[in-house]
Short mmCIF file of all heavy atoms in Angstrom, two decimals:
data_model
loop_
_atom_site.label_atom_id
_atom_site.label_comp_id
_atom_site.label_asym_id
_atom_site.label_seq_id
_atom_site.Cartn_x
_atom_site.Cartn_y
_atom_site.Cartn_z
N MET A 1 15.00 -4.38 15.69
CA MET A 1 13.88 -5.30 15.30
C MET A 1 13.31 -5.81 16.60
O MET A 1 13.94 -6.30 17.39
CB MET A 1 14.58 -6.55 14.47
CG MET A 1 13.55 -7.42 13.80
SD MET A 1 12.69 -6.66 12.62
CE MET A 1 12.71 -7.71 11.16
N GLY A 2 11.88 -5.72 16.62
CA GLY A 2 11.30 -6.21 17.76
C GLY A 2 11.06 -7.77 17.75
O GLY A 2 11.45 -8.41 16.74
N ALA A 3 10.44 -8.29 18.69
CA ALA A 3 10.25 -9.77 18.75
C ALA A 3 9.26 -10.21 17.63
O ALA A 3 9.39 -11.21 17.04
CB ALA A 3 9.75 -10.11 20.13
N TRP A 4 8.30 -9.26 17.45
CA TRP A 4 7.25 -9.61 16.39
C TRP A 4 7.16 -8.50 15.45
O TRP A 4 7.62 -7.42 15.72
CB TRP A 4 5.93 -9.76 17.15
CG TRP A 4 5.68 -11.02 17.91
CD1 TRP A 4 6.55 -11.90 18.18
CD2 TRP A 4 4.52 -11.42 18.51
NE1 TRP A 4 6.04 -12.97 18.84
CE2 TRP A 4 4.71 -12.57 19.17
CE3 TRP A 4 3.23 -10.88 18.64
CZ2 TRP A 4 3.73 -13.32 19.86
CZ3 TRP A 4 2.27 -11.62 19.34
CH2 TRP A 4 2.42 -12.84 19.98
N HIS A 5 6.65 -8.90 14.28
CA HIS A 5 6.44 -7.85 13.14
C HIS A 5 5.04 -7.90 12.71
O HIS A 5 4.46 -8.90 12.57
CB HIS A 5 7.47 -8.18 12.06
CG HIS A 5 7.34 -7.18 10.88
ND1 HIS A 5 7.93 -5.95 10.93
CD2 HIS A 5 6.73 -7.26 9.72
CE1 HIS A 5 7.64 -5.27 9.76
NE2 HIS A 5 6.97 -6.10 8.99
N ILE A 6 4.43 -6.66 12.59
CA ILE A 6 3.07 -6.71 12.17
C ILE A 6 2.92 -5.91 10.82
O ILE A 6 3.58 -4.96 10.64
CB ILE A 6 2.12 -5.95 13.22
CG1 ILE A 6 2.61 -4.72 13.64
CG2 ILE A 6 1.99 -6.90 14.43
CD1 ILE A 6 1.72 -3.94 14.64
N GLU A 7 1.96 -6.38 10.06
CA GLU A 7 1.74 -5.76 8.76
C GLU A 7 0.29 -5.74 8.31
O GLU A 7 -0.49 -6.63 8.88
CB GLU A 7 2.40 -6.53 7.56
CG GLU A 7 3.92 -6.50 7.52
CD GLU A 7 4.51 -7.26 6.43
OE1 GLU A 7 3.75 -7.74 5.48
OE2 GLU A 7 5.67 -7.43 6.40
N VAL A 8 -0.16 -4.72 7.65
CA VAL A 8 -1.48 -4.71 7.17
C VAL A 8 -1.48 -4.59 5.59
O VAL A 8 -0.74 -3.89 5.04
CB VAL A 8 -2.22 -3.43 7.64
CG1 VAL A 8 -3.57 -3.25 6.88
CG2 VAL A 8 -2.47 -3.40 9.07
N ASP A 9 -2.23 -5.55 4.99
CA ASP A 9 -2.31 -5.61 3.53
C ASP A 9 -3.47 -4.55 3.20
O ASP A 9 -4.59 -4.91 3.26
CB ASP A 9 -2.64 -6.88 3.03
CG ASP A 9 -2.52 -6.97 1.48
OD1 ASP A 9 -2.64 -5.91 0.84
OD2 ASP A 9 -2.41 -8.09 0.94
N GLU A 10 -3.01 -3.26 2.81
CA GLU A 10 -3.99 -2.23 2.62
C GLU A 10 -4.88 -2.61 1.28
O GLU A 10 -5.93 -2.07 1.14
CB GLU A 10 -3.33 -0.91 2.41
CG GLU A 10 -2.61 -0.59 3.70
CD GLU A 10 -1.91 0.77 3.65
OE1 GLU A 10 -2.22 1.64 2.73
OE2 GLU A 10 -1.04 0.95 4.44
N ASN A 11 -4.32 -3.57 0.49
CA ASN A 11 -5.14 -3.95 -0.72
C ASN A 11 -6.40 -4.88 -0.39
O ASN A 11 -7.25 -4.95 -1.17
CB ASN A 11 -4.29 -4.61 -1.71
CG ASN A 11 -3.21 -3.69 -2.25
OD1 ASN A 11 -3.50 -2.60 -2.59
ND2 ASN A 11 -1.98 -4.21 -2.28
N VAL A 12 -6.38 -5.42 0.75
CA VAL A 12 -7.47 -6.33 1.06
C VAL A 12 -8.30 -5.89 2.26
O VAL A 12 -9.40 -6.29 2.55
CB VAL A 12 -6.90 -7.75 1.38
CG1 VAL A 12 -6.42 -8.41 0.05
CG2 VAL A 12 -6.09 -7.90 2.50
N CYS A 13 -7.73 -4.88 3.05
CA CYS A 13 -8.32 -4.21 4.22
C CYS A 13 -9.75 -3.71 3.75
O CYS A 13 -9.82 -3.14 2.58
CB CYS A 13 -7.55 -3.14 4.75
SG CYS A 13 -8.41 -2.11 5.91
N VAL A 14 -10.83 -4.01 4.45
CA VAL A 14 -12.20 -3.46 4.16
C VAL A 14 -12.50 -2.38 5.03
O VAL A 14 -13.62 -1.91 5.01
CB VAL A 14 -13.18 -4.58 4.18
CG1 VAL A 14 -12.86 -5.68 3.09
CG2 VAL A 14 -13.20 -5.25 5.60
N GLY A 15 -11.64 -1.90 5.79
CA GLY A 15 -11.93 -0.63 6.57
C GLY A 15 -12.90 -0.73 7.79
O GLY A 15 -13.46 0.21 8.18
N SER A 16 -12.88 -2.02 8.34
CA SER A 16 -13.83 -2.21 9.47
C SER A 16 -13.46 -1.41 10.75
O SER A 16 -14.24 -1.12 11.55
CB SER A 16 -13.88 -3.62 9.80
OG SER A 16 -12.51 -4.12 10.34
N GLY A 17 -12.15 -1.14 10.85
CA GLY A 17 -11.74 -0.42 12.15
C GLY A 17 -11.37 -1.27 13.26
O GLY A 17 -11.08 -0.73 14.29
N MET A 18 -11.62 -2.55 13.08
CA MET A 18 -11.40 -3.50 14.33
C MET A 18 -10.04 -3.45 14.84
O MET A 18 -9.88 -3.37 16.04
CB MET A 18 -11.68 -4.91 13.81
CG MET A 18 -11.65 -5.93 14.84
SD MET A 18 -13.12 -5.86 15.98
CE MET A 18 -14.33 -6.70 14.92
N CYS A 19 -9.04 -3.36 14.04
CA CYS A 19 -7.53 -3.40 14.42
C CYS A 19 -7.37 -2.12 15.29
O CYS A 19 -6.78 -2.19 16.36
CB CYS A 19 -6.66 -3.49 13.31
SG CYS A 19 -6.94 -2.23 12.01
N ALA A 20 -7.80 -0.93 14.72
CA ALA A 20 -7.53 0.27 15.54
C ALA A 20 -8.39 0.46 16.68
O ALA A 20 -7.85 0.99 17.70
CB ALA A 20 -7.92 1.40 14.57
N ALA A 21 -9.46 -0.33 16.88
CA ALA A 21 -10.26 -0.33 18.02
C ALA A 21 -9.54 -1.18 19.15
O ALA A 21 -9.46 -0.90 20.35
CB ALA A 21 -11.67 -0.78 17.77
N LEU A 22 -9.02 -2.39 18.66
CA LEU A 22 -8.38 -3.32 19.63
C LEU A 22 -7.00 -2.84 20.11
O LEU A 22 -6.60 -3.04 21.20
CB LEU A 22 -8.37 -4.72 19.07
CG LEU A 22 -9.70 -5.45 18.87
CD1 LEU A 22 -9.39 -6.72 18.16
CD2 LEU A 22 -10.21 -5.77 20.27
N ALA A 23 -6.28 -2.24 19.22
CA ALA A 23 -4.84 -1.86 19.39
C ALA A 23 -4.56 -0.50 18.78
O ALA A 23 -3.89 -0.46 17.84
CB ALA A 23 -3.95 -2.95 18.95
N PRO A 24 -5.15 0.52 19.38
CA PRO A 24 -4.96 1.85 18.81
C PRO A 24 -3.69 2.39 18.76
O PRO A 24 -3.25 3.37 18.18
CB PRO A 24 -5.88 2.79 19.66
CG PRO A 24 -6.19 1.92 20.88
CD PRO A 24 -6.07 0.53 20.56
N ASP A 25 -2.72 1.81 19.63
CA ASP A 25 -1.28 2.17 19.65
C ASP A 25 -0.51 1.60 18.48
O ASP A 25 0.62 2.05 18.28
CB ASP A 25 -0.56 1.84 20.96
CG ASP A 25 -0.86 0.33 21.34
OD1 ASP A 25 -1.80 -0.28 20.82
OD2 ASP A 25 0.00 -0.22 22.03
N ARG A 26 -1.08 0.63 17.84
CA ARG A 26 -0.42 -0.16 16.62
C ARG A 26 -1.08 0.13 15.31
O ARG A 26 -0.31 0.07 14.39
CB ARG A 26 -0.42 -1.58 17.00
CG ARG A 26 0.85 -2.12 17.65
CD ARG A 26 0.93 -1.89 19.07
NE ARG A 26 1.86 -2.70 19.77
CZ ARG A 26 1.61 -3.59 20.72
NH1 ARG A 26 0.46 -3.79 21.15
NH2 ARG A 26 2.60 -4.13 21.27
N PHE A 27 -2.39 0.41 15.33
CA PHE A 27 -3.10 0.51 14.05
C PHE A 27 -3.91 1.73 13.94
O PHE A 27 -4.50 2.22 14.91
CB PHE A 27 -4.11 -0.77 13.89
CG PHE A 27 -3.36 -2.04 13.91
CD1 PHE A 27 -3.18 -2.82 15.08
CD2 PHE A 27 -2.80 -2.66 12.69
CE1 PHE A 27 -2.59 -4.07 15.13
CE2 PHE A 27 -2.17 -3.91 12.77
CZ PHE A 27 -2.15 -4.57 13.98
N VAL A 28 -4.01 2.30 12.82
CA VAL A 28 -4.64 3.54 12.52
C VAL A 28 -5.59 3.37 11.37
O VAL A 28 -5.09 2.80 10.27
CB VAL A 28 -3.82 4.73 12.53
CG1 VAL A 28 -2.84 4.60 11.37
CG2 VAL A 28 -4.59 6.10 12.44
N LEU A 29 -6.79 3.78 11.37
CA LEU A 29 -7.60 3.75 10.12
C LEU A 29 -7.80 5.29 9.72
O LEU A 29 -8.56 5.99 10.29
CB LEU A 29 -9.01 3.09 10.52
CG LEU A 29 -9.96 3.07 9.28
CD1 LEU A 29 -9.43 2.25 8.19
CD2 LEU A 29 -11.36 2.51 9.74
N GLU A 30 -7.14 5.59 8.57
CA GLU A 30 -7.26 6.83 8.02
C GLU A 30 -7.72 6.65 6.59
O GLU A 30 -6.88 6.04 5.81
CB GLU A 30 -6.03 7.64 8.09
CG GLU A 30 -5.73 8.21 9.48
CD GLU A 30 -4.36 8.80 9.69
OE1 GLU A 30 -3.53 8.67 8.72
OE2 GLU A 30 -4.16 9.44 10.66
N GLY A 31 -8.89 7.13 6.08
CA GLY A 31 -9.25 6.89 4.82
C GLY A 31 -9.85 5.34 4.63
O GLY A 31 -10.27 4.94 5.70
N PRO A 32 -9.85 4.78 3.51
CA PRO A 32 -10.41 3.53 3.31
C PRO A 32 -9.76 2.23 3.92
O PRO A 32 -10.30 1.25 4.13
CB PRO A 32 -10.46 3.40 1.82
CG PRO A 32 -9.35 4.23 1.31
CD PRO A 32 -9.23 5.40 2.40
N ALA A 33 -8.41 2.40 4.20
CA ALA A 33 -7.72 1.18 4.69
C ALA A 33 -6.91 1.63 6.02
O ALA A 33 -6.44 2.74 6.17
CB ALA A 33 -6.82 0.80 3.67
N ALA A 34 -6.66 0.57 6.73
CA ALA A 34 -5.86 0.82 7.99
C ALA A 34 -4.40 0.54 7.73
O ALA A 34 -4.03 0.06 6.57
CB ALA A 34 -6.24 -0.26 9.00
N SER A 35 -3.54 1.13 8.54
CA SER A 35 -2.09 0.94 8.32
C SER A 35 -1.54 0.76 9.77
O SER A 35 -2.15 1.17 10.72
CB SER A 35 -1.54 2.12 7.65
OG SER A 35 -1.76 3.36 8.23
N VAL A 36 -0.27 0.39 9.83
CA VAL A 36 0.40 0.22 11.08
C VAL A 36 0.99 1.61 11.44
O VAL A 36 1.46 2.30 10.57
CB VAL A 36 1.66 -0.74 10.92
CG1 VAL A 36 2.36 -0.84 12.24
CG2 VAL A 36 1.12 -2.18 10.61
N VAL A 37 0.78 1.96 12.67
CA VAL A 37 1.23 3.30 13.14
C VAL A 37 2.67 3.31 12.97
O VAL A 37 3.54 2.33 13.17
CB VAL A 37 0.91 3.39 14.71
CG1 VAL A 37 1.70 4.53 15.35
CG2 VAL A 37 -0.49 3.44 15.00
N GLN A 38 3.20 4.46 12.45
CA GLN A 38 4.62 4.70 12.16
C GLN A 38 5.52 4.16 13.44
O GLN A 38 5.30 4.65 14.48
CB GLN A 38 4.90 6.06 11.75
CG GLN A 38 6.18 6.27 11.12
CD GLN A 38 6.23 7.67 10.39
OE1 GLN A 38 5.44 8.53 10.69
NE2 GLN A 38 7.23 7.81 9.60
N GLY A 39 6.44 3.45 13.14
CA GLY A 39 7.43 2.93 14.23
C GLY A 39 6.83 1.83 15.04
O GLY A 39 7.61 1.32 15.88
N ALA A 40 5.70 1.33 14.70
CA ALA A 40 5.07 0.32 15.60
C ALA A 40 5.17 -1.03 14.89
O ALA A 40 4.71 -1.98 15.52
CB ALA A 40 3.71 0.67 15.90
N ALA A 41 5.73 -1.15 13.74
CA ALA A 41 5.67 -2.50 13.00
C ALA A 41 6.53 -3.47 13.72
O ALA A 41 6.19 -4.71 13.52
CB ALA A 41 6.13 -2.23 11.47
N ASP A 42 7.57 -3.14 14.27
CA ASP A 42 8.40 -4.12 15.05
C ASP A 42 8.16 -3.91 16.48
O ASP A 42 8.32 -2.78 17.07
CB ASP A 42 9.85 -3.90 14.62
CG ASP A 42 10.09 -4.26 13.26
OD1 ASP A 42 9.70 -5.32 12.83
OD2 ASP A 42 10.60 -3.39 12.50
N THR A 43 7.65 -4.88 17.18
CA THR A 43 7.04 -4.77 18.58
C THR A 43 7.35 -5.87 19.42
O THR A 43 7.68 -6.98 18.94
CB THR A 43 5.54 -4.57 18.41
OG1 THR A 43 4.93 -4.62 19.70
CG2 THR A 43 5.04 -5.78 17.56
N ASP A 44 7.27 -5.72 20.72
CA ASP A 44 7.38 -6.84 21.64
C ASP A 44 6.26 -7.69 21.42
O ASP A 44 5.19 -7.37 20.88
CB ASP A 44 7.32 -6.23 23.04
CG ASP A 44 8.51 -5.51 23.45
OD1 ASP A 44 9.60 -5.65 22.88
OD2 ASP A 44 8.38 -4.54 24.32
N ALA A 45 6.36 -8.98 21.68
CA ALA A 45 5.27 -9.84 21.67
C ALA A 45 4.12 -9.39 22.51
O ALA A 45 4.33 -9.02 23.64
CB ALA A 45 5.77 -11.22 22.12
N ASP A 46 3.03 -9.58 21.89
CA ASP A 46 1.80 -9.13 22.66
C ASP A 46 0.50 -9.91 22.14
O ASP A 46 0.24 -9.84 20.96
CB ASP A 46 1.55 -7.67 22.39
CG ASP A 46 0.38 -6.99 23.27
OD1 ASP A 46 -0.39 -7.83 23.73
OD2 ASP A 46 0.36 -5.85 23.34
N GLU A 47 -0.05 -10.66 23.06
CA GLU A 47 -1.21 -11.47 22.65
C GLU A 47 -2.30 -10.77 21.90
O GLU A 47 -2.95 -11.35 20.99
CB GLU A 47 -1.65 -12.22 23.90
CG GLU A 47 -2.82 -13.19 23.72
CD GLU A 47 -2.22 -14.53 23.29
OE1 GLU A 47 -1.01 -14.73 23.49
OE2 GLU A 47 -2.95 -15.53 23.02
N VAL A 48 -2.48 -9.60 22.26
CA VAL A 48 -3.52 -8.84 21.68
C VAL A 48 -3.34 -8.71 20.10
O VAL A 48 -4.39 -8.57 19.36
CB VAL A 48 -3.74 -7.32 22.28
CG1 VAL A 48 -2.68 -6.48 21.81
CG2 VAL A 48 -5.13 -6.76 21.90
N LEU A 49 -2.20 -8.67 19.74
CA LEU A 49 -1.82 -8.63 18.29
C LEU A 49 -2.44 -9.88 17.52
O LEU A 49 -2.84 -9.85 16.35
CB LEU A 49 -0.42 -8.39 17.97
CG LEU A 49 0.18 -7.13 18.47
CD1 LEU A 49 1.69 -7.14 18.36
CD2 LEU A 49 -0.49 -5.98 17.80
N LEU A 50 -2.37 -11.03 18.19
CA LEU A 50 -2.88 -12.20 17.61
C LEU A 50 -4.44 -12.13 17.56
O LEU A 50 -5.05 -12.59 16.57
CB LEU A 50 -2.50 -13.48 18.32
CG LEU A 50 -0.97 -13.65 18.49
CD1 LEU A 50 -0.68 -14.92 19.29
CD2 LEU A 50 -0.37 -13.80 17.10
N ASP A 51 -5.01 -11.52 18.62
CA ASP A 51 -6.42 -11.33 18.64
C ASP A 51 -6.85 -10.44 17.48
O ASP A 51 -7.84 -10.58 16.79
CB ASP A 51 -6.98 -10.62 19.92
CG ASP A 51 -6.77 -11.64 21.08
OD1 ASP A 51 -6.70 -12.76 20.92
OD2 ASP A 51 -6.68 -11.10 22.31
N VAL A 52 -6.08 -9.32 17.12
CA VAL A 52 -6.29 -8.42 16.03
C VAL A 52 -6.37 -9.24 14.72
O VAL A 52 -7.14 -9.09 13.96
CB VAL A 52 -5.27 -7.26 16.00
CG1 VAL A 52 -5.50 -6.58 14.75
CG2 VAL A 52 -5.48 -6.39 17.24
N ALA A 53 -5.26 -10.00 14.63
CA ALA A 53 -5.13 -10.74 13.32
C ALA A 53 -6.26 -11.75 13.10
O ALA A 53 -6.80 -11.86 12.04
CB ALA A 53 -3.75 -11.47 13.29
N ASP A 54 -6.67 -12.42 14.24
CA ASP A 54 -7.85 -13.34 14.20
C ASP A 54 -9.06 -12.56 13.97
O ASP A 54 -10.10 -13.16 13.29
CB ASP A 54 -7.93 -14.00 15.45
CG ASP A 54 -6.82 -15.02 15.78
OD1 ASP A 54 -5.97 -15.35 14.83
OD2 ASP A 54 -6.66 -15.52 16.89
N SER A 55 -9.20 -11.38 14.40
CA SER A 55 -10.49 -10.61 14.39
C SER A 55 -10.78 -9.89 13.00
O SER A 55 -11.84 -9.50 12.71
CB SER A 55 -10.57 -9.64 15.37
OG SER A 55 -10.36 -10.20 16.64
N CYS A 56 -9.60 -9.60 12.28
CA CYS A 56 -9.77 -8.84 11.03
C CYS A 56 -10.61 -9.56 10.02
O CYS A 56 -10.28 -10.77 9.71
CB CYS A 56 -8.33 -8.64 10.50
SG CYS A 56 -8.52 -7.84 8.83
N PRO A 57 -11.75 -8.96 9.67
CA PRO A 57 -12.61 -9.76 8.77
C PRO A 57 -12.04 -9.97 7.40
O PRO A 57 -12.67 -10.80 6.59
CB PRO A 57 -13.81 -8.78 8.72
CG PRO A 57 -13.30 -7.40 9.00
CD PRO A 57 -12.13 -7.58 10.02
N ALA A 58 -11.01 -9.30 7.03
CA ALA A 58 -10.40 -9.52 5.68
C ALA A 58 -9.04 -10.24 5.72
O ALA A 58 -8.43 -10.40 4.68
CB ALA A 58 -10.19 -8.17 5.03
N SER A 59 -8.73 -10.70 6.92
CA SER A 59 -7.36 -11.41 7.11
C SER A 59 -6.29 -10.55 6.50
O SER A 59 -5.39 -11.14 6.00
CB SER A 59 -7.44 -12.79 6.54
OG SER A 59 -8.38 -13.70 7.09
N ALA A 60 -6.34 -9.34 6.83
CA ALA A 60 -5.45 -8.26 6.18
C ALA A 60 -4.28 -8.12 7.19
O ALA A 60 -3.24 -7.46 6.79
CB ALA A 60 -6.10 -6.93 5.93
N VAL A 61 -4.48 -8.52 8.40
CA VAL A 61 -3.36 -8.35 9.45
C VAL A 61 -2.52 -9.52 9.66
O VAL A 61 -3.07 -10.53 9.88
CB VAL A 61 -3.85 -7.88 10.77
CG1 VAL A 61 -2.83 -7.77 11.91
CG2 VAL A 61 -4.70 -6.56 10.73
N THR A 62 -1.24 -9.48 9.44
CA THR A 62 -0.28 -10.53 9.60
C THR A 62 0.64 -10.26 10.70
O THR A 62 1.20 -9.15 10.70
CB THR A 62 0.53 -10.83 8.35
OG1 THR A 62 -0.42 -11.03 7.25
CG2 THR A 62 1.30 -12.07 8.35
N VAL A 63 0.89 -11.23 11.57
CA VAL A 63 1.87 -11.07 12.67
C VAL A 63 2.92 -12.23 12.40
O VAL A 63 2.56 -13.33 12.18
CB VAL A 63 1.25 -11.36 14.06
CG1 VAL A 63 2.33 -11.16 15.18
CG2 VAL A 63 -0.03 -10.34 14.31
N THR A 64 4.16 -11.71 12.32
CA THR A 64 5.18 -12.79 12.16
C THR A 64 6.22 -12.65 13.28
O THR A 64 6.48 -11.60 13.90
CB THR A 64 5.93 -12.45 10.76
OG1 THR A 64 6.46 -11.18 10.61
CG2 THR A 64 4.96 -12.85 9.69
N ASP A 65 7.03 -13.70 13.37
CA ASP A 65 8.13 -13.70 14.28
C ASP A 65 9.23 -12.77 13.61
O ASP A 65 9.59 -13.00 12.58
CB ASP A 65 8.68 -15.03 14.48
CG ASP A 65 9.81 -15.22 15.58
OD1 ASP A 65 10.88 -14.60 15.29
OD2 ASP A 65 9.63 -15.74 16.68
N GLY A 66 9.68 -11.72 14.47
CA GLY A 66 10.64 -10.83 13.80
C GLY A 66 12.01 -11.45 13.46
O GLY A 66 12.56 -10.92 12.58
N GLU A 67 12.33 -12.53 13.97
CA GLU A 67 13.58 -13.25 13.62
C GLU A 67 13.42 -14.33 12.51
O GLU A 67 14.04 -14.28 11.55
CB GLU A 67 14.30 -13.90 14.87
CG GLU A 67 14.85 -12.66 15.77
CD GLU A 67 15.79 -13.46 16.83
OE1 GLU A 67 15.95 -14.47 16.83
OE2 GLU A 67 16.27 -12.51 17.64
N SER A 68 12.53 -15.24 12.84
CA SER A 68 12.32 -16.39 11.93
C SER A 68 11.53 -16.14 10.72
O SER A 68 11.34 -16.79 9.82
CB SER A 68 11.84 -17.62 12.62
OG SER A 68 10.46 -17.32 13.06
N GLY A 69 10.61 -15.12 10.90
CA GLY A 69 9.68 -14.86 9.86
C GLY A 69 8.36 -15.76 9.89
O GLY A 69 7.51 -15.69 9.03
N GLU A 70 8.43 -16.63 10.87
CA GLU A 70 7.18 -17.69 10.92
C GLU A 70 6.05 -16.73 11.23
O GLU A 70 5.87 -15.84 11.93
CB GLU A 70 7.53 -18.47 12.12
CG GLU A 70 6.34 -19.40 12.53
CD GLU A 70 6.52 -20.11 13.86
OE1 GLU A 70 7.49 -19.87 14.46
OE2 GLU A 70 5.52 -20.90 14.30
N VAL A 71 4.83 -17.19 10.47
CA VAL A 71 3.58 -16.50 10.68
C VAL A 71 2.96 -17.02 11.92
O VAL A 71 2.71 -18.23 12.24
CB VAL A 71 2.74 -16.84 9.49
CG1 VAL A 71 1.29 -16.32 9.70
CG2 VAL A 71 3.28 -16.27 8.13
N LEU A 72 2.66 -16.03 12.83
CA LEU A 72 1.96 -16.42 14.10
C LEU A 72 0.59 -16.06 14.11
O LEU A 72 -0.16 -16.66 14.75
CB LEU A 72 2.70 -15.55 15.16
CG LEU A 72 4.28 -15.68 15.30
CD1 LEU A 72 4.76 -14.63 16.18
CD2 LEU A 72 4.58 -17.00 15.67
N GLY A 73 0.12 -15.11 13.34
CA GLY A 73 -1.34 -14.75 13.29
C GLY A 73 -1.61 -14.22 11.83
O GLY A 73 -0.76 -13.64 11.25
N PRO A 74 -2.81 -14.41 11.37
CA PRO A 74 -3.98 -15.05 12.10
C PRO A 74 -3.68 -16.54 12.36
O PRO A 74 -2.93 -17.22 11.63
CB PRO A 74 -5.09 -14.92 11.14
CG PRO A 74 -4.62 -14.41 9.81
CD PRO A 74 -3.23 -14.00 10.05
N ARG A 75 -4.13 -16.94 13.59
CA ARG A 75 -4.06 -18.29 13.98
C ARG A 75 -4.85 -19.25 13.15
O ARG A 75 -5.91 -18.89 12.80
CB ARG A 75 -4.22 -18.44 15.51
CG ARG A 75 -3.27 -17.84 16.29
CD ARG A 75 -3.59 -17.75 17.69
NE ARG A 75 -4.55 -16.71 17.90
CZ ARG A 75 -4.74 -16.14 19.17
NH1 ARG A 75 -4.00 -16.44 20.22
NH2 ARG A 75 -5.62 -15.16 19.34
N PRO A 76 -4.39 -20.43 12.85
CA PRO A 76 -5.21 -21.41 12.06
C PRO A 76 -6.53 -21.87 12.69
O PRO A 76 -6.57 -21.84 13.80
CB PRO A 76 -4.26 -22.49 11.74
CG PRO A 76 -3.09 -22.43 12.74
CD PRO A 76 -3.14 -20.98 13.25
S1 LIG B 1 -9.35 -5.10 11.17
FE1 LIG B 1 -8.67 -5.65 9.08
S2 LIG B 1 -10.24 -4.91 7.60
FE2 LIG B 1 -10.68 -3.91 9.58
S3 LIG B 1 -9.45 -1.94 9.32
FE3 LIG B 1 -8.11 -3.45 10.37
S4 LIG B 1 -6.89 -4.32 8.65
FE4 LIG B 1 -8.73 -3.36 7.82
#
């Protein structure tokens, strides 16, 4: 388990590609919705992931603390 955990809600993703542009090592846009790159869901803490969550126009990207489950992003 990494320090942080990232998820994409493919049901609300609008396919903007913002996540894959900002963090192509973590997110991929194939077809209408983005997903987390295989094996990348549990990751070291990385500020860019909070930027991705904040930038997603559909608020489809969630970043949580891998241990506590606390939601870190999108930031309020
Ligand atoms: S930034 Fe959000 S809406 Fe855009 S592709 Fe990624 S998850 Fe989907």
Side-chain angles (χ1 to χ4, degrees):
M1 192 62 127
W4 286 5
H5 181 77
I6 52 176
E7 289 181 10
V8 172
D9 185 341
E10 296 178 20
N11 294 314
V12 299
C13 169
V14 296
S16 71
M18 184 73 78
C19 54
L22 287 173
D25 52 334
R26 265 79 165 237
F27 300 93
V28 60
L29 180 61
E30 286 174 347
S35 56
V36 177
V37 170
Q38 195 166 16
D42 295 304
T43 172
D44 291 336
D46 187 342
E47 186 84 8
V48 75
L49 296 172
L50 300 180
D51 293 338
V52 169
D54 291 348
S55 305
C56 173
S59 299
V61 176
T62 306
V63 182
T64 53
D65 184 292
E67 286 191 4
S68 70
E70 177 190 357
V71 176
L72 305 172
R75 289 171 282 204

